[in-house]
Amino acid sequence: MFALRLLRTAVVTLLLGLGAAGIYAPGAEAQNGLQRFEKDIKPQLELKSFAYERGTPLGDQGFVLEKVTAVVPANDATGGKDTTIKIDRVTVEKVDFARLTSSNKDDVPLYAKLTLEGMTGDDELFTSLTPYGIPNVPVDIVFDYRLDGASKVLTLNKLEIGLRGQARIAVELVMDGITDKASQMDKAKDDGRLRTASVTLDDQGLISKLLPALAKENGDKPENLVAIALMGI
């Protein structure tokens, strides 16, 4: 449950980076990635505020933002209050510029490669593990994928979520039957077929703290929870 909620918040943050992809209009002067962000995308971000201390272009395909602060307006997902997200560094190496800025909102971006380092926030998501003895630490995320719209093959080169000093989980997979249309994404759970997948868990103390607490909360034994988890692999 924590991973899913973390990913939901991560998606909001990822969009800050993906949104920085910008627009290149035929006949216009070429711009680097940072200029595209400032001119074409930043004004459109649906945030209460967005700022960073330093920005560096990575050619015309990407950029780096340092010391990012974004305030997400109050909504149901944030419990009706503004949420502040801070990120030490956002690195966007490449994104599907054309689809991100397309007037056809049904087109899903076909590729992206980016990294978020040192993400923290005041949403309850970031403190949801503290009752189990897990400290509130910065989160690091790596997201790298490519979707072939014609063959409907999704290649997730890496989705890595790390809680500094606690644990890191990385997922890599290839799936068939994945559409590139947002309106049809709900069908992915029925049409998608897993071709290959790998999961890497680097536990640095998280499980030893979390497992006994969860078992006690559910009136069970830690070894029983492990057995249940292994049954799904």
Side-chain angles (χ1 to χ4, degrees):
M1 179 64 71
F2 172 75
L4 291 176
R5 295 187 63 213
L6 177 60
L7 187 55
R8 182 190 66 192
T9 297
V11 167
V12 174
T13 311
L14 290 172
L15 289 176
L16 303 182
L18 288 174
I23 300 174
Y24 175 74
E29 182 180 354
Q31 296 179 313
N32 63 44
L34 185 60
Q35 290 171 326
R36 292 177 174 184
F37 168 66
E38 286 291 339
K39 179 177 181 293
D40 300 312
I41 301 302
K42 185 177 177 181
Q44 301 178 39
L45 294 178
E46 296 181 355
L47 298 169
K48 201 163 187 178
S49 65
F50 180 88
Y52 57 90
E53 292 185 8
R54 181 184 178 187
T56 306
L58 296 178
D60 62 353
Q61 295 282 329
F63 60 92
V64 177
L65 301 180
E66 298 182 55
K67 300 299 181 182
V68 175
T69 300
V71 178
V72 181
N75 56 67
D76 292 341
T78 63
K81 63 179 182 179
D82 293 348
T83 297
T84 299
I85 296 175
K86 295 184 178 181
I87 313 171
D88 288 339
R89 180 188 294 255
V90 176
T91 302
V92 176
E93 296 186 38
K94 61 181 179 180
V95 289
D96 188 352
F97 296 164
R99 287 206 167 196
L100 280 169
T101 58
S102 172
S103 59
N104 185 355
K105 301 305 180 183
D106 199 35
D107 287 342
V108 175
L110 297 178
Y111 58 88
K113 184 176 183 180
L114 51 92
T115 303
L116 308 179
E117 300 174 69
M119 182 171 71
T120 59
D122 58 8
D123 183 275
E124 63 177 13
L125 163 68
F126 292 91
T127 59
S128 60
L129 291 180
T130 53
Y132 303 103
I134 311 301
N136 184 10
V137 296
V139 178
D140 300 315
I141 297 176
V142 178
F143 187 46
D144 179 7
Y145 82 94
R146 179 170 292 274
L147 174 61
D148 188 318
S151 63
K152 295 187 176 182
V153 175
L154 169 66
T155 301
L156 181 63
N157 295 310
K158 179 175 289 187
L159 172 58
E160 180 178 294
I161 300 176
L163 301 180
R164 290 187 183 177
Q166 299 299 315
R168 177 184 61 86
I169 184 169
V171 179
E172 301 174 11
L173 59 81
V174 178
M175 291 190 70
D176 297 300
I178 305 301
T179 180
D180 64 346
K181 301 301 179 183
S183 61
Q184 301 175 27
M185 276 296 176
D186 286 344
K187 298 174 58 180
K189 63 179 182 298
D190 299 318
D191 298 339
R193 301 177 303 280
L194 186 63
R195 186 190 301 180
T196 63
S198 67
V199 179
T200 301
L201 175 62
D202 177 16
D203 179 38
Q204 302 166 28
L206 177 69
I207 293 179
S208 63
K209 297 174 183 177
L210 187 60
L211 197 59
L214 287 176
K216 182 178 180 180
E217 187 177 84
N218 290 277
D220 208 337
K221 297 180 180 179
E223 52 267 32
N224 291 341
L225 296 185
V226 173
I228 293 173
L230 291 176
M231 288 175 60
I233 299 178

